[in-house]
Amino acid sequence: MELLRDSIPMVSLAVSAAALYARAVSSRLRPGFPRLAALLPVVAFLAAAPLAFSSSATTRGVAAFFLAWLGVFKVALLAAGLGPLDPALPVLPFLFTAALPVKLMTNRGGSGSGTRPAGEAAAASKRRAPAFLVSCAAKVAVMAALLRAYRFKDRLPLYARLAMYGVHMYCFVDLLLPCIAAAAGALGMEAEPQFDLPYLASSLRDFWGRRWNLVVPAVLRPSVYGPVRARAGRAAGVLATFLVSGLMHEVLVCYLTLRPPTGEMAAFFLIHGACCVAEGWCAARGWPPAPPRPVATLLVVAFVAGTAFWLFFPPINRDGGEEVLLEEWTAVAAFVGDAGRKLFQ
């Protein structure tokens, strides 16, 4: 692990080697216990790899999301012969899918590789480029404004700061993941979108199932929701999915803060899971009548924000966590600013 310490290139090479090993093993062993036993070293490595980033909480947290959560779940699904990983995938799509939060679309031929002819990929990327660049520029501008506002955080009310952190988190994730998908598109791979304007959700089910960080539901549906629903029904499947998501968020906070779990993240997601079940029950019976779309959207945003202020942000921010993250983002802003000034001198 010392060789990998605080080195993104070295960790990336090691993860690529582990993914290639997983692909080779899976192409030779049928799904089941033998394949699972052969893949356990990969699971252990992916769980340990984020700890290589000992000096940066942000990098450690992102790596934990990519590897210790999504990567481990994808390898476990591979051991059972389920997607999104498949040993029949070409090497590059397999590496992208294993190491990064992307879900490749099935191509028109139905092979599931997500690859397209180079000319078609380039044309599609060119069509989407203007909107993509405008979206990225807007999120960068919002994050830059927030970083300047953080200088006055001591003068701001607690809930104003938490609202700013929520906007910052959304802008960062919705900037990072589409950039990864754009890189996949530049290499001829079609990736499914990860966000779909979550601030316009008309219900909690719409927010979590169709708009927010869609690569997570894509992994949890086959690994948790499907098996539980088949045995215990839809409501149990939804609750189990939110419970697992909550437990994995507890794990992510442990990586991020290097502190033991508190249960607050699990409570946040269980509350949302129970509310999604209640929403479905009410919708099936047509009671109460659905409010107008703007009102419904406002209620969803208020509920997500209120419960996040209560349960989501406190375990991240307490015991100096808020200051550590703000210092890291301030350092990033200073680095980008210096680089920009040197570039245009």
Side-chain angles (χ1 to χ4, degrees), residues 78-103:
L78 176 62
L82 302 173
L85 291 177
D86 188 329
L89 282 172
V91 171
L92 190 57
F94 190 95
L95 289 177
F96 255 77
T97 304
L100 297 170
V102 295
K103 184 175 184 292

Side-chain angles (χ1 to χ4, degrees), residues 108 115-122 188:
R108 292 187 180 93
T115 58
R116 300 170 297 166
E120 184 181 343

